[in-house]
């Protein structure tokens, strides 16, 4: 008689835990310059293999190689990208300290992921709309948004344009093509597709850029967004940032084990690429390609950006409880700032001295902005918007029951 | 409608035709209006509410969607962020649940969380209500789930005239509106006498509808039947059930059709209860946690010293909507009439509505 073994539930585990080094061989890497650059009107069919490989431009020595390297790229654009990345990192560090000083209730760093939003937003045009998650502050910083405006939101002070209604980091800046961040994961991914559909309905030329993390791809709205983007050939770039971690959950728990997130796009009939997210040149080149595709009515593109969440998930998180403390140092794709810096030095468009000077200058800029923002109040000083504004904007016009409740509060 | 003014040419319309007319007119008036949902495009909707609209206005304006309620509402919110004014359909109110996150967390909160930088002026149409042998998932009345959400407007018409005027007002309103359509009333009024032939809208005064543009303002209730004995707060199909119950019970009930469920017309409600001193609240939805609880609380808070009897609630039982036992579930004219008489008896003892047996523990 045939013996049937008892079934066993498979629960994915990361190879590295505190005290044990991560084995990053699961990453499906490819050497820089190896992957082709398909024509803009490619079919998802013809590039299926690329969803399981990795587009990289910068090699280990910081040289730009292969078909995605643009020899005509303006070094000033790269310098701008590097400055934005450095600024983001400084901003994050300062705001994390401000949280520890209780001037802010909460903060989320984007350490190690600075290249992705920066590279993409510099490939978009004014009027395009990004639908970010909470770790895309670089979309704003790369556009030189006044840091004071961002910080006032973090401080919930009386200059906070969101009137203290939103948790820190949940920015909304329409004029910079930055859609309101919601705490509810993945919701914005399908909204981005709807925005892109609207642009197409109106015969506009603007495109949408959607953002989601590896963990949130498990939410229903991720698949919904892919289906709608495919069905209506919406002009949207569907960005998946695979930073390997969703709080404490390894990307294998999100469904990344033995496959890729780019592969999800292939199954939905969407041209899908997998890209080194710490390679600014690759980020910019692929973003530009996807944006041109969308703008040329050639449909959506899904991009999995392979990166690493170098910092804690948030100021409420302690990663040393679930992953090795030296993980980032061992991550094969390195640090996006170091890699772009090295490339720029190689081509003679940057130097260690300039790097140091820039860092100093940006530090001073961030500190000055913080000083100004704090002068409008912080959570600690309680200098917030008037309490009566709490009842506003629930509806366009305040209904009787809210007027009554406002009176009951005595404001 | 006492306040109804001369509004040009009138035509007989069912509720379906009235809703279609509203959407047709608004597609013509507002280039930013788009209509989509499951089967609403080429086919014209499983209830025919969007019939002919795609052929007339084009596939860019009226189109079919994948079967994904979250996708339908989520895409609509994104379109709102762009500046469009989507009118989307969820095929049955029973199927809105997959869109809950987009409705509650996104559409309802967008204006608030952005201090008005982004808004969601969308209308979500949902056929609702029972009385059609729809069983569990084609009969539900989920209005209380929306009323609990700050930032939403919830509306339910009870006749073709209101259906068109309220839908146009809802579409024009810059807040997100949940527009619930009692499908039992699509083709004619229904008073709960399921054993009698159905009267079509063509034989009812409210089945005459202006062919052009007009609105029925939101947050305005209508006194459907003036009366002096007690006030009935209701909406949808129950308007007609309470009307026939008033006739059959001999109770001179003042029937208020709320039309806008939330935010609602508090003044009309309070004026009526203060006049009659008695209040019956009636809806198809399940009792516990239902909208009737909120109405009861409001009347109690504002009319306590005018009340001559406890407020009575008649609702669907606290069960899922059954198939075979439809008419034992659906609040019947007899049940409503009993409640009317009970309230007129001024009893302050515990009321067990519609239950003829004395209350006792079994066994």
């Amino acid at each position: 008689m045939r013996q049937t073994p008892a079934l066993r539930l498979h629960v994915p585990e990361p190879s590295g835990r505190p005290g044990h080094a991560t084995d990053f061989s699961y990453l499906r890497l490819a050497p820089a310059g190896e992957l082709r650059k398909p024509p803009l009107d490619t079919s998802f069919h013809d590039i299926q293999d690329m969803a399981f490989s990795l587009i990289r431009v910068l090699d280990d020595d910081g040289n730009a190689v292969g078909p995605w390297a643009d020899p005509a790229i303006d070094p000033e654009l790269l310098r701008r990208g590097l400055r934005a990345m450095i600024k983001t990192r400084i901003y994050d560090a300062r705001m994390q300290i401000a949280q520890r000083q209780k001037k802010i209730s909460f903060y989320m760093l984007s350490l190690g992921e600075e290249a992705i939003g920066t590279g993409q937003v510099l490939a978009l045009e004014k009027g395009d709309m990004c639908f970010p998650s909470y770790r895309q502050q670089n979309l704003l910083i790369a556009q030189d948004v006044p840091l004071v405006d961002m910080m006032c939101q973090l401080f919930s002070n009386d200059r906070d344009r969101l009137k203290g209604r939103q948790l820190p980091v949940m920015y909304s800046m329409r004029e910079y093509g930055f859609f309101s961040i919601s705490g509810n994961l993945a919701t914005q991914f399908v909204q981005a597709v709807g925005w892109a559909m609207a642009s197409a309905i109106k015969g506009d030329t603007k495109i949408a850029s959607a953002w989601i993390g590896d963990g949130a791809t498990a939410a229903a709205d991720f698949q919904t967004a892919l289906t709608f983007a495919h069905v209506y050939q919406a002009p949207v770039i569907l960005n998946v940032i695979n930073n390997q971690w969703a709080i404490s959950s390894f990307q294998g728990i999100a469904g990344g084990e033995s496959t890729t997130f780019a592969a999800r796009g292939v199954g939905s009939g969407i041209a899908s690429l997998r890209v080194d997210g710490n390679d600014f040149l690759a980020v910019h080149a692929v973003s530009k390609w996807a944006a041109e595709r969308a703008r040329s009515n050639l449909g959506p593109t899904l991009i999995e950006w392979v990166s690493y969440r170098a910092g804690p998930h948030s100021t409420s998180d302690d990663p040393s409880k679930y992953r090795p403390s030296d993980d980032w140092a061992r991550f094969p794709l390195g640090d996006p700032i170091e890699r772009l810096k090295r490339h720029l030095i190689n081509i003679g468009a940057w130097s260690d001295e300039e790097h140091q000077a820039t860092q100093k200058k940006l530090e001073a800029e961030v500190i000055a902005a913080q000083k100004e923002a704090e002068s409008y109040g912080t959570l600690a000083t309680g200098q917030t918007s008037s309490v009566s504004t709490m009842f506003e904007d629930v509806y366009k016009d305040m209904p009787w029951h809210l007027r009554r409740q406002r009176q009951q509060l005595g404001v | 409608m006492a306040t109804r003014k001369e509004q040009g040419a009138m035509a007989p319309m069912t509720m379906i035709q009235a809703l279609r007319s509203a959407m047709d007119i608004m597609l013509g008036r507002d280039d930013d209006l788009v209509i989509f949902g499951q089967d609403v495009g080429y086919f014209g909707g499983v209830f025919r509410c969007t019939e002919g609209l795609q052929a007339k206005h084009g596939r860019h304006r009226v189109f079919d969607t994948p079967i994904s309620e979250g996708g339908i509402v989520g895409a609509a919110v994104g379109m709102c962020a762009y500046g469009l004014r989507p009118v989307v359909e969820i095929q049955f109110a029973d199927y809105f649940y997959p869109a809950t996150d987009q409705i509650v967390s996104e559409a309802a909160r967008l204006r608030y969380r952005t201090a008005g930088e982004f808004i969601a002026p969308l209308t979500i149409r949902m056929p609702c209500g029972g009385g059609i042998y729809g069983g569990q998932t084609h009969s539900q009345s989920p209005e209380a789930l929306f009323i609990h959400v700050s930032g939403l407007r919830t509306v339910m018409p009870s006749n073709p005239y209101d259906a068109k005027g309220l839908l146009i007002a809802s579409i024009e309103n810059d807040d997100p509106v949940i527009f619930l359509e009692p499908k039992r009333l699509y083709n004619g009024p229904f008073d709960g006498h399921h054993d009698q032939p159905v009267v079509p809208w063509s034989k009812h005064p409210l089945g005459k509808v202006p062919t052009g543009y007009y609105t029925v303002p939101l947050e305005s209730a209508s006194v459907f039947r003036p009366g002096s004995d007690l006030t009935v707060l209701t909406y949808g199909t129950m308007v007609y059930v309470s009307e026939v119950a008033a006739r059959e019970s001999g109770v001179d009930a003042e029937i208020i059709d709320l039309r806008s469920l939330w935010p609602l017309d508090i003044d009309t409600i309070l004026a009526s209860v203060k006049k009659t001193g008695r209040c019956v609240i009636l809806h198809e939805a399940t009792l516990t946690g239902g909208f009737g609880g909120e109405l009861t609380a409001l009347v109690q808070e504002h009319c306590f010293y005018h009340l001559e009897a406890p407020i009575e609630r008649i609702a669907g039982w606290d069960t899922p909507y059954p198939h075979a036992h439809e008419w034992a579930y659906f609040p019947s004219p007899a049940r409503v009439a009993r409640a009317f008489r009970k309230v007129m008896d001024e009893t302050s003892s515990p009321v067990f509505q519609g239950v003829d047996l004395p209350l006792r523990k079994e066994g």
Side-chain angles (χ1 to χ4, degrees), chain A residues 129-141:
Chain A
M129 184 67 77
C130 295
F131 287 75
S133 80
Y134 46 65
R135 225 183 287 283
Q136 273 80 57
Q137 47 266 54
N138 47 9
L139 293 175
L140 292 171
I141 292 172

Side-chain angles (χ1 to χ4, degrees), chain A residues 129 131 161-163 165-166 170 172-175 178-188 190-202 204 206 221 224 227-228 231-232 389-397 399-401 404, chain B residues 31-32 34 36 60-61 63-66 68 70-72 74-84 101-102 105-108 110-119 149-153 174-175 219 262-266 298 301-302:
Chain A
M129 184 67 77
F131 287 75
R161 47 200 265 157
L162 306 184
K163 302 184 181 177
R165 291 176 189 155
Q166 277 272 56
M170 309 281 174
S172 177
M173 293 199 174
R174 189 186 185 115
E175 72 273 31
F178 191 98
F179 182 71
S180 155
I181 296 173
S182 165
N184 296 68
L185 294 181
T187 51
Q188 77 286 352
V190 63
Q191 290 164 0
V193 176
W195 194 99
M197 289 168 69
S199 184
I201 287 168
K202 299 302 281 185
D204 204 341
K206 300 182 186 112
D221 280 343
T224 302
T227 302
F228 275 61
V231 167
Y232 301 106
T389 63
M390 179 167 73
F391 298 92
E392 294 168 2
D393 299 322
V394 181
Y395 299 90
K396 184 181 185 191
D397 302 311
W400 66 272
H401 68 288
R404 185 163 170 253
Chain B
D31 287 343
D32 292 332
V34 285
F36 54 95
H60 278 77
R61 307 285 308 282
F63 53 90
D64 292 313
T65 61
S68 169
I72 291 167
V77 171
M79 290 182 188
C80 289
Y82 179 90
L84 299 191
D101 198 19
Q102 289 289 346
S105 312
E106 303 294 320
L110 194 55
R111 178 188 293 275
Y112 190 74
R113 78 172 195 234
T114 66
E117 185 166 88
F118 292 96
I119 61 171
V149 179
S150 45
L152 294 181
R153 290 183 179 273
D174 284 341
D175 299 322
E219 291 184 59
W262 199 263
L264 49 58
D265 176 359
I266 188 73
L298 281 174
E301 281 167 22
H302 293 272

Side-chain angles (χ1 to χ4, degrees), chain B residues 9-59:
Chain B
M10 306 280 280
M13 290 187 203
T14 65
M15 191 183 282
I16 291 167
Q17 291 164 332
L19 293 164
R20 186 193 304 148
S21 171
M23 288 185 270
D24 186 20
I25 286 171
M26 293 311 290
L27 280 164
R29 284 172 70 100
D30 185 350
D31 287 343
D32 292 332
L33 194 78
V34 285
I35 293 177
F36 54 95
Q38 190 190 336
D39 300 308
V40 310
Y42 182 86
F43 180 57
V46 294
F47 292 109
R48 320 309 304 149
C49 290
T50 53
E51 191 173 26
L53 296 183
Q54 184 181 74
K56 182 172 171 186
H57 299 278
R59 275 208 306 273

Side-chain angles (χ1 to χ4, degrees), chain A residues 314-394:
Chain A
S314 72
T315 48
S316 307
D317 177 46
D318 175 6
S320 72
K321 294 279 197 289
Y322 52 80
R323 70 182 189 189
S325 53
D326 64 343
D327 227 22
W328 190 30
R330 300 166 47 80
F331 181 67
L333 300 179
D335 176 344
I337 292 182
E338 289 304 318
R339 288 176 64 191
L340 181 57
K341 175 188 169 192
R342 185 159 181 195
H343 172 69
L344 280 175
I345 291 173
N346 282 0
I347 62 169
W350 198 253
S351 66
D352 275 319
E353 296 71 46
E354 191 171 3
H355 194 86
Q356 298 224 328
T358 303
Q359 203 148 348
K360 247 190 175 148
K361 186 176 152 281
L362 292 173
E363 264 284 353
E365 198 181 307
V366 172
I367 288 167
Q370 184 176 356
K371 207 171 163 194
E372 186 189 341
E374 285 189 23
S375 76
Y376 305 123
T378 68
L379 197 69
T381 66
Q383 195 179 331
T384 60
S385 58
S386 153
V387 176
S388 68
T389 63
M390 179 167 73
F391 298 92
E392 294 168 2
D393 299 322
V394 181

Side-chain angles (χ1 to χ4, degrees), chain B residues 183-204:
Chain B
K183 56 190 161 306
R184 177 70 237 202
L185 302 181
Y186 268 161
N187 289 302
F190 178 67
D191 62 13
H193 284 306
H194 54 94
D195 46 355
Q196 292 172 14
V198 176
V199 182
W201 280 119
S202 58
K203 297 209 171 109
H204 195 280

